[in-house]
């Protein structure tokens, strides 16, 4: 039912670092206890256009997957934010392009994602976990798309990176990137 839901979400300008700090606090007190979480934030980012609770859910899911993929010893997750010009997306024919300058990367040092699973990773019911439902990353992809954003993944042993690209507040320009 969630995948067929086409009700537009209500977005407001948000500080992505506050969301990520909250997610890191929740993770460190629960599922990522004992995992080193290295935050490499660009302090000059403009506000992102988003729905707070939905973005918290997206990044909690990605962080939980990263923590579960990380080795038992020396587990490390790196969360990076940056401003990247040049990428935009069109949602449909005749619609304007949406710039996606806000990039949030979540990198783990786990075993990596098998090559045969990688092309289907965001499809419903695809999982590499014996106990998983295969809905987590599909919901993440849908939520990111609902934000007019994109998600991609790059994976090899000891380095899997999920990148979430989101639009900034419309009034934010490339010359005025206040936090």
């Amino acid at each position: 039912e969630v995948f067929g839901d086409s009700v537009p979400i209500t977005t407001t300008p948000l500080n992505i670092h506050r969301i990520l700090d909250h997610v890191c606090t929740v993770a460190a007190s629960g599922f990522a206890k004992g995992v080193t979480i290295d935050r490499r934030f660009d302090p000059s980012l403009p506000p992102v256009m988003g729905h707070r609770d939905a973005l918290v859910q997206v990044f909690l899911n990605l962080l939980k997957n990263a923590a579960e993929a990380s080795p038992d010893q020396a587990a490390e997750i790196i969360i990076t934010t940056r401003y990247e010009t040049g990428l935009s997306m069109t949602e449909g024919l005749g619609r304007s392009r949406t710039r996606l300058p806000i990039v949030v990367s979540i990198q783990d040092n786990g075993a990596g994602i098998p090559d045969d699973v990688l092309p289907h990773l965001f499809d419903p019911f695809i999982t590499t976990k014996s106990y998983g439902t295969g809905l987590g990353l599909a919901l993440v992809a849908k939520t990111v798309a609902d934000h007019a954003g994109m998600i991609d993944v790059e994976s090899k042993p000891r380095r899997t990176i999920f990148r979430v690209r989101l639009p900034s507040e419309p009034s934010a320009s490339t010359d005025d990137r206040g936090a």
Side-chain angles (χ1 to χ4, degrees):
E1 288 180 21
V2 172
F3 293 110
D5 184 10
S6 61
V7 176
I9 60 170
T10 304
T11 62
T12 58
L14 301 169
N15 182 321
I16 195 67
H17 298 131
R18 287 188 185 141
I19 291 170
L20 294 170
D21 282 338
H22 172 72
V23 167
C24 288
T25 300
V26 170
S29 64
F31 60 81
K33 199 174 275 190
V35 175
T36 300
I37 300 175
D38 183 4
R39 301 174 209 186
R40 300 177 183 177
F41 295 168
D42 176 349
S44 69
L45 288 185
V48 64
M49 289 305 294
H51 184 280
R52 184 191 181 281
D53 294 341
L55 289 177
V56 164
Q57 201 59 47
V58 162
F59 292 113
L60 272 174
N61 188 300
L62 292 174
L63 208 56
K64 186 173 190 297
N65 285 351
E68 290 173 352
S70 295
D72 291 336
Q73 302 297 320
E76 180 181 35
I77 297 171
I78 301 170
I79 302 174
T80 307
T81 62
R82 70 179 181 278
Y83 192 92
E84 196 173 273
T85 60
L87 186 63
S88 60
M89 185 170 85
T90 303
E91 289 186 47
L93 203 56
R95 294 198 176 177
S96 62
R97 296 186 70 74
T98 302
R99 291 179 345 109
L100 302 174
I102 309 296
V103 182
V104 178
S105 301
I106 298 181
Q107 176 180 327
D108 68 61
N109 63 340
I113 301 166
D115 289 339
D116 61 326
V117 174
L118 211 48
H120 309 285
L121 198 60
F122 298 108
D123 295 344
F125 309 114
I126 300 297
T127 184
T128 59
K129 301 174 188 174
S130 59
Y131 55 88
T133 63
L135 294 176
L137 288 176
L139 286 171
V140 163
K142 181 192 181 312
T143 302
V144 171
D146 288 347
H147 281 79
M150 294 174 54
I151 184 167
D152 62 62
V153 62
E154 167 189 330
S155 186
K156 62 182 183 180
R158 293 178 302 286
R159 187 173 184 261
T160 296
I161 305 172
F162 283 85
R163 287 182 195 86
V164 176
R165 300 168 191 275
L166 297 165
S168 62
E169 180 181 18
S171 64
S173 73
T174 56
D175 297 329
D176 181 26
R177 301 187 314 155

